[in-house]
Amino acid sequence: MIQQTPLKIGVAGAGVMGRNHARVLAELRDVELTTVFDPDAVTAEGVAAAYGATAVTTAEAFVAAGLDAAVIATPNRYHAELGVALLKAGVHVLVEKPIAATTADAQAMIDAAKAADRVLMVGHVERFNPAVETVKRAIDGDEIISIQITRVGPFPPRMGEVGVVIDLAVHDIDIIRHLTGSEVVEVQSLLGHAHASREDSALLQFRMANDVIAHITTNWVTPYKTRTLQVATKTRFIVADLITRQVTEYFGQQPDGSYSTRMLNAWPAEPLKKEHEAFIHAIRTGETAAVSGEDGLRNLEVALRCLGE
């Protein structure tokens, strides 16, 4: 077998998520983390030094760094400008969710990727959570009735530029579309503002094109973190804890109310590593990315509808 040359990859944005991307990329055999970009020189140099990469402090230097691929983990408002510049330079792009701040910006990235024949993938990392994958396998071929997702926790130490719908619920919008293989046709939302001007709690309801109904409860007002996924089908009810990766199936309900249960195996794996492996696979094979730019755009559109935008 001919040994493939490692892909030269860079990370833009050296915050919490950017540092996680750098850590995972540094551990992969098929890539070489060569460049870290952050406008804060101390931050960029600190992350770059940890992995033997070069630090840059401008977007122009990052685009000109001779990369094969790049991860964009900057604030949302910078995704499109940097993403389009990278794609036009022939660089494959994995952009953190949400794909962009606006649907117009998202479409500009999609168009740039098509024009350059480059991979554009969106970092909806929960798609690669072993518990979500286990649920997806378990319901394959079943008729889904409803989906309920709870994603709650304490108020974040640093308030970003978005509320819970864009920050948290967009994960679950993607999960719902992924599990149903269908698109949202009806949206109902209730938003709360307890601690900030942007919404910090939300109750979201959806009807899919295939008539599945779905519900998301999300907030920053719960003192502990909870991530649960419940799926009801014609033949079973499945409950997944997305943190512990424990998945339980309830089935065989009898007229007397009794039923059977079993635990489903969710193979241990780091979702972010699986996300990067999927990105690399799309680059190497030319296949459509596991979470395409179009997926990212659909998820953003639904989230903005929930916000009345």
Side-chain angles (χ1 to χ4, degrees):
M1 177 182 289
I2 299 175
Q3 181 66 39
Q4 291 181 311
T5 302
L7 297 170
K8 292 182 179 180
I9 195 163
V11 173
V16 173
M17 203 63 213
R19 290 195 294 272
N20 277 328
H21 280 290
R23 172 185 56 80
V24 171
L25 288 167
E27 296 171 355
L28 295 178
R29 293 182 179 180
D30 202 27
V31 302
E32 179 186 356
L33 177 60
T34 64
T35 312
V36 173
F37 159 50
D38 196 279
D40 184 284
V42 173
T43 300
E45 289 167 4
V47 176
Y51 302 109
T54 299
V56 297
T57 57
T58 68
E60 292 77 13
F62 188 69
V63 173
L67 301 171
D68 298 308
V71 175
I72 300 177
T74 63
N76 304 342
R77 64 184 181 275
Y78 301 121
H79 286 186
E81 183 177 3
L82 181 56
V84 168
L86 287 164
L87 290 162
K88 286 183 175 180
V91 180
H92 301 283
V93 170
L94 169 61
V95 59
E96 263 301 329
K97 63 81 190 168
I99 181 173
T102 69
T103 56
D105 281 350
Q107 190 62 57
M109 294 179 71
I110 292 168
D111 292 344
K114 289 180 179 177
D117 193 25
R118 300 290 91 177
V119 172
L120 172 61
M121 181 166 157
V122 185
H124 284 281
V125 71
E126 286 281 43
R127 182 83 72 97
F128 302 93
N129 187 316
V132 173
E133 294 181 327
T134 297
V135 173
K136 176 72 170 174
R137 288 193 299 270
I139 64 175
D140 185 41
D142 254 2
E143 183 178 347
I144 302 174
I145 299 170
S146 65
I147 298 175
Q148 179 161 323
I149 303 177
T150 300
R151 186 179 297 271
V152 300
F155 198 80
R158 292 186 303 164
M159 181 66 179
E161 58 190 30
V162 297
V164 290
V165 172
I166 296 294
D167 189 57
L168 297 183
V170 74
H171 280 298
D172 304 312
I173 292 167
D174 183 68
I175 290 173
I176 291 165
R177 292 182 56 254
H178 178 53
L179 294 180
T180 62
S182 188
E183 298 296 342
V184 174
V185 295
E186 184 179 342
V187 172
Q188 295 178 335
S189 62
L190 292 173
L191 308 177
H193 304 75
H195 302 299
S197 58
R198 295 189 180 275
E199 81 288 348
D200 50 21
S201 62
L203 301 177
L204 312 174
Q205 296 186 117
F206 310 102
R207 183 177 298 278
M208 311 303 289
N210 60 1
D211 279 337
V212 173
I213 57 174
H215 178 95
I216 298 171
T217 299
T218 187
N219 69 49
W220 282 327
V221 298
T222 303
Y224 54 86
K225 184 182 290 187
T226 297
R227 307 281 189 267
T228 58
L229 165 64
Q230 299 177 330
V231 181
T233 77
K234 290 282 189 177
T235 63
R236 70 198 76 195
F237 184 72
I238 297 176
V239 179
D241 186 316
L242 304 185
I243 297 175
T244 66
R245 317 278 170 78
Q246 179 174 303
V247 182
T248 307
E249 180 182 10
Y250 302 81
F251 63 99
Q253 186 167 2
Q254 301 301 312
D256 64 1
S258 63
Y259 54 85
S260 300
T261 66
R262 63 183 166 214
M263 303 300 295
L264 303 180
N265 288 327
W267 302 111
E270 182 175 2
L272 193 61
K273 180 180 179 182
K274 297 192 71 173
E275 178 179 274
H276 280 292
E277 289 172 343
F279 179 46
I280 295 165
H281 177 79
I283 293 171
R284 293 297 197 190
T285 65
E287 296 177 9
T288 300
V291 188
S292 67
E294 286 79 3
D295 283 324
L297 173 57
R298 297 286 91 78
N299 295 333
L300 178 62
E301 286 175 337
V302 173
L304 293 175
R305 285 175 64 187
C306 291
L307 294 172
E309 299 180 10

